């Protein structure tokens, strides 16, 4: 079963880089959606949920951690895995967002192998 | 109080790491300390607050900014990118470099909060931060071709 993915990042450049890196990782997705901040992502997830969300932390309008909390209150996201992708790497930040309902964390700079390793468990 | 020399290393190493791993371009300390950016320039900056407050800026020529953007997007022709793309890319460069700086300073300054990056176009652009700020200024060269300035202005949180 092919999976669906959403990339949430305020930088369009970073969304492209993530998309390219995901492709290079060999993981295959049916569709890849994009959103520029947490608010836009939640609207899209509410209308049509995806299997995996890759989510930035530092974004205007609504940050990644705020988005995770809100998504975890939405029944449409019950089965959605949320993996944070950020230059943030302080253990407190990672622990905090994982406690709020994120399912993984990838730090920038990243490699295709990082995506392979962190997303593979959610592909089945 | 951390020695200035330490900040220089943290800053340059962070920029090198990002350019090597995410942009696939070579960034080195400039041989000529008086190198200047000629013509149109792009300056990206990101501010931070918390245990340490200040502003990080990355300034390069427009041609360099376009090359960085093309590399990040995996595009071959400059005609395919807009000024908006370039601003977005340079903003993200600042965000990533500052993220690396933050990671490297974490043991000393555990609480540093980053802003959303800001990018401007112009000539002879300069990063400033009022009184009492320390400045680390690094002149670097990208791909042996583009003179670039990295500046980090900071002060410790005053209690
Ligand atoms: Mg961001």
């Amino acid at each position: 079963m092919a999976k669906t993915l959403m990339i949430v990042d305020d930088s369009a450049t970073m969304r492209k880089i993530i998309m390219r890196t995901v492709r290079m990782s060999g993981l295959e997705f049916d569709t890849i959606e994009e959103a520029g901040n947490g608010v836009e992502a939640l609207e899209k997830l509410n209308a049509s949920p995806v299997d995996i969300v890759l989510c930035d932390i530092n974004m205007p309008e609504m940050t990644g951690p705020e988005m995770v909390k809100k998504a975890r209150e939405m029944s449409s996201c019950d089965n959605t895995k949320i993996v944070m992708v950020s230059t943030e790497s302080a253990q407190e930040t990672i622990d905090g967002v994982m406690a709020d309902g994120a399912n993984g964390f990838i730090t920038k700079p990243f490699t295709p192998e990082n995506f392979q390793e962190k997303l593979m468990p959610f592909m089945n | 109080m951390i020695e200035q020399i330490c900040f220089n290393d943290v800053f340059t190493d962070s920029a090198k790491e990002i350019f090597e791993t995410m942009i696939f371009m070579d960034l080195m300390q400039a041989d000529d300390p008086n190198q200047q950016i000629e013509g149109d320039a792009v300056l990206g900056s990101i501010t931070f607050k918390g245990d340490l407050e200040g502003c990080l800026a990355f300034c390069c020529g427009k041609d360099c900014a376009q090359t960085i953007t093309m590399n990040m997007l995996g595009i071959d022709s400059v005609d395919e990118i807009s000024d908006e793309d370039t601003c977005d890319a340079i903003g993200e460069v600042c965000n990533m470099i500052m993220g690396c700086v933050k990671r490297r300073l974490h043991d000393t300054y555990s609480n540093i909060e980053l802003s959303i990056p800001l990018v401007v176009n112009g000539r002879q652009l300069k990063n400033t931060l009022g009184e009492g700020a320390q400045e680390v200024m690094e002149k670097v060269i990208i791909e042996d071709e583009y003179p670039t300035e990295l500046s980090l202005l900071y002060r410790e949180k005053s209690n």
Side-chain angles (χ1 to χ4, degrees):
Chain A
M1 263 287 280
K3 299 278 175 182
T4 51
L5 179 73
M6 182 185 288
I7 299 169
V8 189
D9 198 301
D10 55 319
S11 163
T13 311
M14 187 43 67
R15 294 198 300 270
K16 289 248 167 59
I17 293 178
I18 293 175
M19 204 178 288
R20 192 172 61 210
T21 313
V22 166
R23 293 219 173 93
M24 284 163 70
S25 76
L27 299 170
E28 283 186 21
F29 290 93
D30 233 7
T31 58
I32 302 182
E33 295 276 330
E34 290 183 52
N37 60 59
V39 176
E40 195 188 326
L42 289 177
E43 275 170 19
K44 289 190 173 183
L45 287 169
N46 198 25
S48 60
V50 299
D51 298 306
I52 299 174
V53 175
L54 292 171
C55 185
D56 184 21
I57 286 196
N58 191 18
M59 294 183 287
E61 308 287 334
M62 185 189 284
T63 66
E66 285 163 357
M67 196 213 92
V68 170
K69 276 190 206 162
K70 290 238 158 54
R72 286 297 168 242
E73 292 165 4
M74 286 162 47
S75 57
S76 62
C77 291
D78 279 353
N79 298 316
T80 302
K81 304 294 182 193
I82 307 176
V83 176
M84 311 310 287
V85 182
S86 176
T87 46
E88 296 278 344
S89 57
Q91 199 56 47
E92 304 92 270
T93 309
I94 298 177
D95 293 346
V97 73
M98 296 295 277
D100 284 338
N103 303 91
F105 206 104
I106 294 171
T107 45
K108 295 179 200 166
F110 46 66
T111 61
E113 291 72 30
N114 296 142
F115 282 89
Q116 161 84 26
E117 182 201 350
K118 296 288 166 77
L119 302 189
M120 202 55 196
F122 307 133
M123 295 302 285
N124 294 313
Chain B
M1 184 70 201
I2 285 201
E3 297 293 319
Q4 176 116 343
I5 186 85
C6 204
F7 266 100
N8 278 292
D9 288 349
V10 162
F11 195 20
T12 327
D13 290 348
S14 300
K16 273 189 188 156
E17 181 181 339
I18 292 305
F19 270 80
E20 243 167 57
T21 57
M22 300 295 291
I23 310 176
F24 313 111
M25 288 172 92
D26 191 42
L27 180 146
M28 301 219 310
Q29 214 112 28
D31 290 331
D32 174 12
N34 298 315
Q35 70 172 18
Q36 299 289 336
I37 299 165
E38 305 290 346
D40 288 340
V42 178
L43 181 135
S45 64
I46 185 165
T47 61
F48 50 91
K49 60 182 186 188
D51 295 342
L52 197 69
E53 59 180 30
C55 181
L56 174 148
F58 174 95
C59 187
C60 66
K62 190 176 179 186
D63 50 353
C64 177
Q66 286 171 328
T67 308
I68 290 171
T69 308
M70 290 192 290
N71 264 30
M72 289 174 83
L73 292 174
I75 286 174
D76 297 324
S77 159
V78 73
D79 301 329
E80 287 177 52
I81 57 163
S82 64
D83 282 356
E84 198 189 328
D85 293 333
T86 306
C87 282
D88 185 86
I90 298 303
E92 191 53 30
V93 169
C94 293
N95 185 42
M96 289 192 291
I97 296 176
M98 190 58 217
C100 267
V101 169
K102 180 179 162 171
R103 190 182 76 220
R104 288 165 196 256
L105 293 177
H106 182 262
D107 289 346
T108 316
Y109 303 102
S110 58
N111 170 38
I112 299 178
E113 203 181 305
L114 309 191
S115 73
I116 303 298
L118 187 82
V119 180
V120 291
N121 291 283
R123 278 168 187 250
Q124 293 170 343
L125 302 169
K126 196 173 166 6
N127 185 23
T128 59
L129 179 85
E131 270 176 34
Q134 307 268 359
E135 176 167 26
V136 175
M137 166 73 120
E138 289 287 332
K139 299 236 181 187
V140 296
I141 187 139
I142 296 175
E143 293 288 286
D144 263 337
E145 189 179 347
Y146 305 111
T148 298
E149 288 169 13
L150 297 167
S151 118
L152 182 70
L153 294 160
Y154 64 93
R155 57 183 161 230
E156 286 189 7
K157 187 176 163 185
S158 45
N159 292 311

